[in-house]
Amino acid sequence: MTLAQVVYQLSTDSEFAARLQTDPEGALAEKGIQLSYEEKAFLTHGLRRSTRADGNLISMQEVASMYLGWR
Amino acid sequence: MAIDELESLVNRELDLVFRTIQSYFANFSISPPFKEVIWKSLSRLSPRPQSFSNSNLTLLFPRLSYQACGGSDHFPPEISAAWYLFYLAADLMDSVQDFDQRVDLANTPYSFSEWLNLASSYFFIANALLTALLDQDYDKRRVASVLKSFQERLLEMCEGQQQDLSTQEFSLSSYLEMLRKKSGAFFSLACYAGARMATDDLGCVKNLANFGSHVGSILQILDDLEDWHRLQAGESPLSRSLNWYKNLPTVYTLEVLPDDQKLAFRRVIDNLAERPEEWQSYVAWVNQTGAALYIMTMLTQEAELARKHLHNNRLQPIAQATLICVLNRLVGEN
């Protein structure tokens, strides 16, 4: 399973997302997902930067605003 | 390093780039009126001091890469000048081909066709700057490597652009590959050229080139986000000839959606051009699939891989730290 598909699972399956927070290895194994050490690190970091204080994921509009005027 | 220090480095580099172009320009056997047209167009495209943006920081890549690889004080400014001219030319051509409003081409004294002709002129001036290095007191083998690299990487960039223009719908992997060719090759070149002029240590040169490649991918992702900036600012999707199939959030969403939902999502995209109210529906689809998390993960991945290539204890520490600082600013991790 690719990183993109894991992100999709995480965004559409709240049980999986919750378990990933507490038991990442178990959650991934249960879904038969194999990610490299590096991929897990990228995802964890990406998740940290994409999670609001209320625990919800940020939207595309918010991501776009973060990089407003880069060019 | 603080942003004002980086900004001051960029302004100094830009000033040197213009002086270098001007000194070569004086000896070109083209008519004074055409020289004036080229010069005015260049000035129009160049960043103004009051409108500094993070993308201007990439102008530092050739010199910083040169310094990171232990180059002396005699960095050839022709490398930065040539790369900058290629950058402007590529940006111009991209804008014209995409009917993009990134460069405000419509409100200028030149037609789109004239802008394409000016972009071609920049290519030839850049080439003249680079070949002139062969007559100066630089290592000829290094200059030859740099010249070859300019030709190869720019052709790779053209290949990426060709894929972009000729493909209607990308898979996620082919889209990322196209980004790497279009932009990765170009920023890789900026770093390679500076590094190669400094050293024959090809391991260090490769590290810098790979760093540039990942930065290029980041910039291409940020370019896709820029389309969102404009729409959020109130620009109607109708007013732009954007192809929403060629945007990372869309490509990602089409990749991960189950087949039975892809059709409905495609219908929304197809309607965007004529029914602006579909924009909200489009946004709901990409948000529901986690496109924002995917983009943040990709930015993290490219930034981490870029940093990894600078973890080389043979690199000069100050230039190495400045390159990391530029990268951090680009990805908002400063």
Side-chain angles (χ1 to χ4, degrees), chain B residues 15 34 43 56-57 65 75 80 91 102 110 121 123 139 145 165 182 196 218 227 240-241 257 288 293 299 303 310:
Chain B
D15 185 50
F34 187 44
S43 308
N56 300 146
L57 296 171
S65 300
F75 169 70
S80 287
D91 207 26
R102 189 167 63 231
Y110 317 114
S121 308
F123 275 114
D139 184 312
S145 293
L165 293 170
K182 250 181 95 164
R196 186 67 186 96
I218 289 170
D227 292 332
R240 312 193 66 229
S241 55
L257 275 179
Q288 174 202 317
L293 172 58
L299 286 173
L310 290 185

Side-chain angles (χ1 to χ4, degrees), chain A residues 2-5 7-12 38-39 41-43 45-50 57-71, chain B residues 53-55 91 102 172 219 222-223 225-226 228-229 232 249 252 256 258 283 287-290 292-294 296-297 299-301 304 308 331-333:
Chain A
T2 66
L3 196 53
Q5 284 160 331
V7 169
Y8 177 68
Q9 283 277 325
L10 216 155
S11 308
T12 53
E38 280 188 326
E39 283 176 322
F42 300 146
L43 183 61
H45 190 141
L47 202 50
R48 203 164 45 233
R49 293 191 71 200
S50 311
L57 288 176
I58 57 173
S59 65
M60 266 307 302
Q61 297 94 310
E62 286 167 292
V63 172
S65 297
M66 284 167 70
Y67 296 99
L68 191 67
W70 78 273
R71 184 180 267 280
Chain B
S53 67
N54 285 338
S55 64
D91 207 26
R102 189 167 63 231
L172 187 57
L219 297 181
L222 297 185
D223 245 2
L225 292 178
E226 196 183 62
W228 284 72
H229 297 162
Q232 279 183 101
Y252 159 79
V256 297
V283 170
N287 277 333
Q288 174 202 317
T289 57
L293 172 58
Y294 179 71
M296 292 303 282
T297 305
L299 286 173
T300 300
Q301 173 180 303
E304 280 304 315
K308 196 172 141 189
V331 293
E333 290 186 11

Side-chain angles (χ1 to χ4, degrees), chain B residues 29-99:
Chain B
S29 59
I30 53 174
S31 74
F34 187 44
K35 276 185 190 174
E36 197 182 325
V37 169
I38 294 175
W39 194 253
K40 278 188 178 166
S41 68
L42 277 176
S43 308
R44 187 179 276 272
L45 293 175
S46 295
R48 305 273 177 279
Q50 65 272 24
S51 63
F52 186 85
S53 67
N54 285 338
S55 64
N56 300 146
L57 296 171
T58 57
L59 184 59
L60 297 174
F61 281 174
R63 182 181 294 276
L64 287 174
S65 300
Y66 176 83
Q67 291 169 344
C69 287
S72 66
D73 289 340
H74 304 292
F75 169 70
E78 288 86 351
I79 299 282
S80 287
W83 185 79
Y84 180 66
L85 284 168
F86 282 125
Y87 180 94
L88 287 185
D91 207 26
L92 253 180
M93 291 176 124
D94 204 27
S95 295
V96 172
Q97 285 160 358
D98 293 349
F99 304 104

Side-chain angles (χ1 to χ4, degrees), chain B residues 230-242:
Chain B
R230 290 189 172 136
L231 290 161
Q232 279 183 101
E235 191 177 322
S236 160
L238 259 178
S239 68
R240 312 193 66 229
S241 55
L242 263 177

